[in-house]
């Protein structure tokens, strides 16, 4: 357009120099003005186009930045989703384990209730007590029923009483048991035993041996002596000391039923 206008301008000057008629000259002048107007309009449009190009380039740069941000956000979201899936899988596994433990606990409680019912006759006869102590089920037999004073050998009457208890306990297959011996705080006067601790341990081992002979699995049994250091009553009275002289058969929990420690294999 600019070249066209320049050509018309040259033609106009030439017409003036050559003495062209006034009408022709006027028409050329009019065409030149029209061309200049179009030229101005074209330049304005060009400026607008350049401005729009700059605007679009800015928008494009913004879009590219937004795209990068979205890509980063998508990657982060994907990482979170992966972690959530892992956490959900771990929670479901833990829930299954807890349900399994609950079922095992309910089953064991049912066994304990059944055991209590079967031992009720012996409890009513005063031959033993059944209770829960420190979260464990305990069958408590007075030492006087099993042993003579200062002795660690089970008496005949004690063997009969213990046999009744063991006949009931045989119904608990694979049950881990601890036999715990206890005394009062009166010092032992027998030379065979250094102290009450030794006496309580010897009595616990005697009961353990009797149970093994009765068919109990040795690997499921443990013997322990507490001496006078785990009383259930005051040693200040005759009755309290009698309660403290006892043999306990403690039903131990199955360690495989306990929740696994974090990080344990």
């Amino acid at each position: 357009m600019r070249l066209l206008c320049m050509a018309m301008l040259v033609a106009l000057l030439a017409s003036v120099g050559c003495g062209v008629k006034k009408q022709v000259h006027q028409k050329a002048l009019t065409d030149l003005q029209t061309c200049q107007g179009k030229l101005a309009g074209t330049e304005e449009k060009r400026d607008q186009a350049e401005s729009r190009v700059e605007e679009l380039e800015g928008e494009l740069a913004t879009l590219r930045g937004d795209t990068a941000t979205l890509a980063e956000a998508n990657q982060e979201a994907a990482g979170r989703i992966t972690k959530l899936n892992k956490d959900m899988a771990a929670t479901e596994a833990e829930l299954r384990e807890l349900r399994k433990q609950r079922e095992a606990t309910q089953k064991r409680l049912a066994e304990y209730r059944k055991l209590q019912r079967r031992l009720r006759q012996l409890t009513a006869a005063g031959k033993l007590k059944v209770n829960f102590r420190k979260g464990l089920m305990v069958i408590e037999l007075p030492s006087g029923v099993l042993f003579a004073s200062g002795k660690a050998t089970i008496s005949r009457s004690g063997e009969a009483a213990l046999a009744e208890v063991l006949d009931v306990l045989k119904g608990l297959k694979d049950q881990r048991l601890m036999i715990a011996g206890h005394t009062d705080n009166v010092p032992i006067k027998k030379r065979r035993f250094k102290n009450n601790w030794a006496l309580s341990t010897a009595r616990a081992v005697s009961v353990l041996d009797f149970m093994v002979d009765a068919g109990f699995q040795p690997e499921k049994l443990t013997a322990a002596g507490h001496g006078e250091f785990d009383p259930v009553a005051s040693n200040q009275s005759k009755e309290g000391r009698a309660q403290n002289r006892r043999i306990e058969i403690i039903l131990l929990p199955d360690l495989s039923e306990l929740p696994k420690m974090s990080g344990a294999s």
Side-chain angles (χ1 to χ4, degrees), residues 91-108:
T91 301
E92 290 175 348
E94 184 178 359
L95 181 59
R96 287 193 298 269
E97 182 65 23
L98 289 174
R99 285 172 177 168
K100 181 180 178 180
Q101 293 171 17
R102 182 184 65 182
E103 291 174 359
T105 300
Q106 291 175 342
K107 180 179 178 181
R108 190 164 299 279

Side-chain angles (χ1 to χ4, degrees), residues 20-231:
V20 181
K21 291 181 180 181
K22 183 177 181 180
Q23 292 177 349
V24 175
H25 174 73
Q26 184 64 39
K27 182 177 183 304
L29 182 60
T30 301
D31 291 342
L32 177 60
Q33 291 175 346
T34 301
C35 183
Q36 288 176 337
K38 290 181 179 180
L39 177 60
T42 302
E43 289 179 345
E44 182 180 357
K45 289 181 180 180
R46 181 200 60 191
D47 293 340
Q48 291 176 352
E50 290 178 350
S51 176
R52 180 57 178 162
V53 167
E54 292 178 358
E55 182 180 345
L56 290 174
E57 287 177 345
E59 292 179 359
L60 180 60
T62 301
L63 288 173
R64 285 173 177 168
D66 292 344
T67 301
T69 301
L70 287 173
E72 183 178 351
N74 286 337
Q75 186 176 2
E76 183 179 351
R80 289 181 179 178
I81 291 173
T82 300
K83 184 179 183 303
L84 286 174
N85 288 334
K86 289 182 179 179
D87 291 345
M88 184 169 63
T91 301
E92 290 175 348
E94 184 178 359
L95 181 59
R96 287 193 298 269
E97 182 65 23
L98 289 174
R99 285 172 177 168
K100 181 180 178 180
Q101 293 171 17
R102 182 184 65 182
E103 291 174 359
T105 300
Q106 291 175 342
K107 180 179 178 181
R108 190 164 299 279
L109 285 174
E111 292 175 346
Y112 287 163
R113 293 189 185 100
K114 182 179 179 181
L115 178 62
Q116 284 179 313
R117 289 194 297 270
R118 295 190 63 185
L119 291 171
R120 194 167 294 161
Q121 292 181 345
L122 299 177
T123 302
K127 295 181 180 181
L128 56 84
K129 295 179 181 178
V130 179
N131 54 57
F132 280 86
R133 188 163 181 250
K134 298 178 181 179
L136 300 174
M137 186 176 186
V138 178
I139 300 172
E140 182 181 316
L141 299 91
S143 292
V145 174
L146 303 178
F147 304 98
S149 179
K151 302 280 187 180
T153 302
I154 303 175
S155 63
R156 288 188 177 180
S157 60
E159 289 181 350
L162 188 56
E164 290 184 77
V165 177
L166 299 186
D167 185 58
V168 176
L169 290 179
K170 285 180 180 178
L172 293 179
K173 296 181 180 180
D174 299 323
Q175 174 65 56
R176 295 174 60 246
L177 303 171
M178 174 182 285
I179 300 91
H182 300 267
T183 68
D184 57 25
N185 66 344
V186 177
I188 185 70
K189 297 179 180 180
K190 301 289 183 179
R191 291 184 178 180
R192 179 183 173 187
F193 304 107
K194 180 180 179 181
N195 49 39
N196 283 328
W197 220 331
L199 174 61
S200 65
T201 302
R203 286 179 171 178
V205 172
S206 292
V207 173
L208 183 147
D209 289 338
F210 187 86
M211 295 176 69
V212 172
D213 292 340
F216 283 78
Q217 301 178 55
E219 61 272 18
K220 297 292 183 180
L221 303 177
T222 302
H226 294 270
E228 69 262 33
F229 301 106
D230 188 18

Side-chain angles (χ1 to χ4, degrees), residues 223-239:
H226 294 270
E228 69 262 33
F229 301 106
D230 188 18
V232 291
S234 172
N235 281 305
Q236 299 301 315
S237 66
K238 181 179 179 181
E239 293 76 11

